[in-house]
Amino acid sequence: MGISNLVAIPATALVTVLIAKYLKPHELGLLMTGEAFVQMFSFFFTMGFKNSIYQYASKHAQGFQEGLREAMGNALLVRLIVGIPIGLVVYFLGVKFNQDSNLVKIIGLYVIMELLTSMGNIFGIVRRALNQFKLVASISALNKLVKLSLVFVVLHYLGGGLLELVYAFVLMEVFKFVVSFIATINLIRPRLSLPDILPLMKESTLYGIFDFLDNAQNKVDRLMLNYLIGPSAVAFYSIPSKLNRLIRVIPNSIKQVFLPQLHQAKDEESVKPIVKKLLIILLVTGLPLSLGIYFFSEPLLAKFFSAEYQAAIELAPWFAFIAVIWFMNISPDMLLASKGDHQGRNWVQVISVVTNIGLNFYLIPRFGIIGAVQATIAANLLKFVLMQLRLQISFGK
């Protein structure tokens, strides 16, 4: 997984650089706003299956693998039943609340991509549960390289524009879905268990509320900037923000490895050695990466972006503080998830998102784009503190 990140992170960074190079700030702002608008509703597409599938399989009477087959089949059926009408609703909201015709088209295309991604993610969850990390890593690296190639071909070689780029992204999602489907079916075949669909949906919904709020917290800054300042502000904010989010590939990879283990742990004694390894890996990876962002991100971005994006370049060091808190939040979040503490996790996330929105309303009019960064730092730090308190209550020590 670490080796695949050596391919995935630079490839994704180059995608952001190329898009910013060939699109105007207003166009880039529309692209980022459309993406953020659709992904604000990701709860209805993803529904927390990454945790509930592990929970279902680990408690199945006939063993983990048989439980995994049923969980996969049921999850795919639920995604089809729920995802299509929700996609239509999201598109309708996009038409209702956005006047720009290009933004409406982008929202519609991102709805299609979100549907395909949500189906493909089920296969990814199953492959990780089967410890097929070489396969997961290979597919992840391939996806990033395909996207980089598409951006270069569409914007540079073919001379396309914003909409042509988004159409190419839709084709890429179709390709990803097909590859993911074939790779997973060769390992394990899904099986339906209709009586277990409602219990799985209930558990997934409770897990999904947290994932939805977490995703909303990551998108609310762009939407608030678009509302309070305009699309160009979103473009300037999105460059360092998107590049900084590349760092999340590393903690997400760590979670992919450790989350199935935590769900399958039988008691707190078996959890301790897993957590010890987790904390060591988080420290070894998180601290150097955060320091690197703080000291080197600004001069590095200055080499790739013109003076037109100076406002974006100056923001970059601030995102080091966000990266630190991301790594800090992983351990308590995963422990509470494995324990099924839905009430605690969701209330913490609600408080964090509401704080983020309130601080954005206060800080952006006073400090501009940097106010959005400060709001995100404060909200994520509050989330970490509340998570730690909840962890102490949940584990009783």
Side-chain angles (χ1 to χ4, degrees):
M1 294 297 290
I3 291 171
S4 74
N5 289 336
L6 297 177
V7 176
I9 292 176
T12 307
L14 285 173
V15 166
T16 303
V17 171
L18 285 176
I19 291 175
K21 176 180 174 63
Y22 288 103
L23 295 182
K24 297 176 182 178
H26 179 77
E27 292 178 318
L28 180 60
L30 288 177
L31 181 68
M32 296 295 102
T33 301
E35 179 188 59
F37 183 87
V38 174
Q39 292 183 354
M40 281 284 289
F41 300 90
S42 65
F43 161 71
F44 301 103
F45 298 105
T46 57
M47 295 180 64
F49 280 121
K50 69 180 180 182
N51 276 294
S52 62
I53 286 177
Y54 296 143
Q55 285 279 66
Y56 182 95
S58 64
K59 295 178 180 179
H60 198 275
Q62 297 179 32
F64 186 80
Q65 185 138 334
E66 185 62 26
L68 198 59
R69 290 181 62 201
E70 291 184 3
M72 177 170 59
N74 290 349
L76 289 171
L77 179 61
V78 170
R79 285 279 169 87
L80 284 174
I81 294 172
V82 176
I84 293 175
I86 289 299
L88 293 173
V89 170
V90 173
Y91 178 70
F92 171 78
L93 292 173
V95 173
K96 186 74 174 176
F97 293 104
N98 294 286
Q99 302 300 319
D100 191 299
S101 60
N102 283 335
L103 181 55
V104 171
K105 290 178 182 177
I106 291 169
I107 288 172
L109 292 170
Y110 266 102
V111 166
I112 296 172
M113 286 189 277
E114 195 71 20
L115 286 168
L116 290 168
T117 300
S118 68
M119 296 291 289
N121 285 345
I122 295 291
F123 300 125
I125 292 166
V126 171
R127 291 194 299 272
R128 290 191 290 274
L130 295 172
N131 293 323
Q132 295 292 322
F133 293 110
K134 289 182 180 179
L135 180 59
V136 171
S138 300
I139 292 176
S140 175
L142 176 63
N143 288 338
K144 300 301 186 295
L145 292 174
V146 169
K147 188 171 186 177
L148 176 60
S149 301
L150 274 180
V151 172
F152 181 78
V153 170
V154 172
L155 296 182
H156 178 79
Y157 185 73
L158 298 179
L162 173 60
L163 289 179
E164 289 81 5
L165 179 64
V166 183
Y167 281 119
F169 286 165
V170 174
L171 291 175
M172 187 194 73
E173 289 301 326
V174 173
F175 171 78
K176 286 169 58 178
F177 174 80
V178 172
V179 170
S180 187
F181 171 80
I182 294 172
T184 308
I185 291 300
N186 285 334
L187 295 170
I188 186 173
R189 300 294 177 93
R191 188 169 76 86
L192 286 175
S193 177
L194 297 180
D196 293 320
I197 285 182
L198 288 180
L200 181 65
M201 281 187 66
K202 178 182 177 181
E203 195 73 7
S204 298
T205 301
L206 293 170
Y207 277 117
I209 291 171
F210 180 89
D211 294 337
F212 165 70
L213 293 170
D214 188 47
N215 184 68
Q217 174 126 314
N218 294 329
K219 302 297 184 296
V220 71
D221 41 16
R222 280 184 270 170
L223 296 177
M224 296 291 291
L225 282 169
N226 183 63
Y227 175 74
L228 294 171
I229 301 179
S232 294
V234 178
F236 293 135
Y237 179 88
S238 293
I239 289 173
S241 175
K242 291 280 282 186
L243 293 173
N244 188 60
R245 285 194 174 102
L246 296 178
I247 302 302
R248 294 197 80 166
V249 172
I250 295 173
N252 285 343
S253 296
I254 296 170
K255 288 174 70 173
Q256 289 174 12
V257 175
F258 281 93
L259 194 57
Q261 297 181 37
L262 287 173
H263 276 287
Q264 294 179 64
K266 302 302 181 183
D267 51 44
E268 292 184 15
E269 286 302 315
S270 58
V271 167
K272 288 180 180 178
I274 300 173
V275 173
K276 184 177 180 180
K277 294 177 185 177
L278 174 64
L279 292 176
I280 292 172
I281 292 174
L282 290 174
L283 178 63
V284 170
T285 55
L287 186 59
L289 283 169
S290 301
L291 290 174
I293 293 170
Y294 185 80
F295 288 106
F296 301 112
S297 58
E298 189 171 356
L300 188 62
L301 289 181
K303 294 182 181 295
F304 290 98
F305 293 94
S306 63
E308 186 179 19
Y309 287 97
Q310 184 60 35
I313 296 169
E314 293 174 355
L315 284 176
W318 281 88
F319 285 90
F321 300 103
I322 298 176
V324 169
I325 302 170
W326 280 343
F327 278 89
M328 291 164 56
N329 267 319
I330 287 175
S331 179
D333 177 25
M334 289 176 63
L335 284 167
L336 291 174
S338 67
K339 201 172 182 63
D341 186 4
H342 303 302
Q343 183 179 12
R345 295 173 78 233
N346 290 334
W347 271 113
V348 167
Q349 195 65 277
V350 167
I351 294 170
S352 180
V353 172
V354 171
T355 300
N356 199 354
I357 294 172
L359 288 175
N360 270 291
F361 269 117
Y362 178 79
L363 295 173
I364 290 175
R366 288 165 176 78
F367 303 106
I369 302 176
I370 200 170
V373 187
Q374 294 168 341
T376 301
I377 292 171
N380 277 283
L381 187 59
L382 175 63
K383 175 183 171 181
F384 171 73
V385 173
L386 294 177
M387 280 283 197
Q388 288 291 342
L389 292 174
R390 184 65 189 184
L391 192 63
Q392 295 297 319
I393 294 171
S394 183
F395 278 84
K397 54 184 175 180

